[in-house]
Amino acid sequence: MKTLLLSATDVAKVINFKNVIEAVEKGYIAFNRGLIQQPPIQSMEMDEYNAAMDVKTCYNGLNSLISVKMLAGSHDNYKIDLPPYMGTVSLLSGKDG
């Protein structure tokens, strides 16, 4: 199995507003059917760097997908000309990873 890495430009080429609305609707259906497992957010604070890291996970039983979102916030990054937030989202099969 190959890993597929997509840039924001890559994603913009294949996603349209209609697809996004349909995906959100399916997410609400799964949630209302009790098919979502979403543990509490794991957070770490790095006070010495004015930074934080959050990890958010979810399993959707409607489509058997696991999602993992990692978001780092480095609030002083503007001082070194970097964006304040950097993150990644991974989608995995609940069946076989």
Side-chain angles (χ1 to χ4, degrees):
M1 178 187 312
K2 287 185 170 183
T3 299
L4 178 63
L5 299 176
L6 300 174
S7 68
T9 303
D10 295 331
V11 172
K13 289 178 184 176
V14 296
I15 295 217
N16 62 51
F17 192 68
K18 182 179 181 224
N19 295 130
V20 171
I21 295 298
E22 289 173 2
V24 170
E25 287 175 347
K26 289 177 183 176
Y28 277 111
I29 289 168
F31 179 80
N32 285 319
R33 290 183 183 169
L35 299 173
I36 299 293
Q37 296 179 44
Q38 191 169 16
I41 297 168
Q42 294 179 334
S43 294
M44 294 185 302
E45 301 286 332
M46 287 72 69
D47 294 332
E48 66 271 28
Y49 300 113
N50 193 23
M53 174 73 166
D54 290 343
V55 178
K56 303 171 183 182
T57 59
C58 181
Y59 172 70
N60 182 337
L62 190 65
N63 58 16
S64 299
L65 287 177
I66 299 167
S67 61
V68 180
K69 178 180 179 181
M70 294 182 295
L71 180 64
S74 300
H75 307 293
D76 291 335
N77 271 3
Y78 71 91
K79 296 175 184 176
I80 54 174
D81 203 29
L82 289 174
Y85 299 102
M86 294 182 210
T88 185
V89 175
S90 296
L91 294 175
L92 307 157
S93 167
K95 179 181 178 183
D96 56 20

